[in-house]
Amino acid sequence: MTVRLFRQLREPREGIDSAQWAETEFGGAPLGGRRLSVRLVKSMSMLADVIGHSITAHTDADRAAVKGYYRLLESKKDKTVTPENILAPHRGRTIERMRS
């Protein structure tokens, strides 16, 4: 009897939509405030829609959202916006998936 250990691989856009994915993967990032967390989720959703391209390649990307994305990444005042904190929930979810 053969046991399948791996689930079927999915294409990047297959399954949940980009907004759901971004909320699931980045919604709990410890960035020091709800406003920053909401901005991160929105930015990651936009990036998921344009995999392999710049964030401005998205035809529906509004200028304010793109500007907010760059402000989030360039935040010098707020020391909680770090690569480690941005990726913390995504790493945790990845480890959960690996364990299952």
Side-chain angles (χ1 to χ4, degrees):
M1 176 153 93
T2 304
V3 177
R4 293 201 74 186
L5 297 176
F6 301 99
R7 294 183 183 144
Q8 183 179 1
L9 294 176
R10 294 183 177 191
E11 293 299 317
R13 289 186 171 79
E14 198 175 23
I16 62 175
D17 68 25
S18 59
Q20 290 172 318
W21 172 82
E23 179 62 40
T24 300
E25 295 296 311
F26 298 97
L31 301 181
R34 173 132 175 84
R35 181 183 59 80
L36 292 173
S37 294
V38 169
R39 172 59 58 204
L40 175 64
V41 168
K42 186 171 185 174
S43 296
M44 293 300 110
S45 177
M46 285 192 317
L47 286 172
D49 286 339
V50 293
I51 294 173
H53 301 286
S54 73
I55 194 168
T56 56
H58 193 297
T59 57
D60 296 333
D62 62 270
R63 293 178 78 171
V66 172
K67 191 173 184 176
Y69 165 74
Y70 286 116
R71 281 186 179 166
L72 175 70
L73 295 181
E74 294 172 352
S75 178
K76 290 185 171 69
K77 289 187 228 174
D78 193 345
K79 300 294 184 200
T80 60
V81 181
T82 63
E84 292 80 17
N85 285 348
I86 288 172
L87 292 173
H90 180 61
R91 282 188 187 127
R93 303 236 185 342
T94 300
I95 291 167
E96 287 173 19
R97 286 189 289 270
M98 291 169 56
R99 286 184 178 151
S100 64

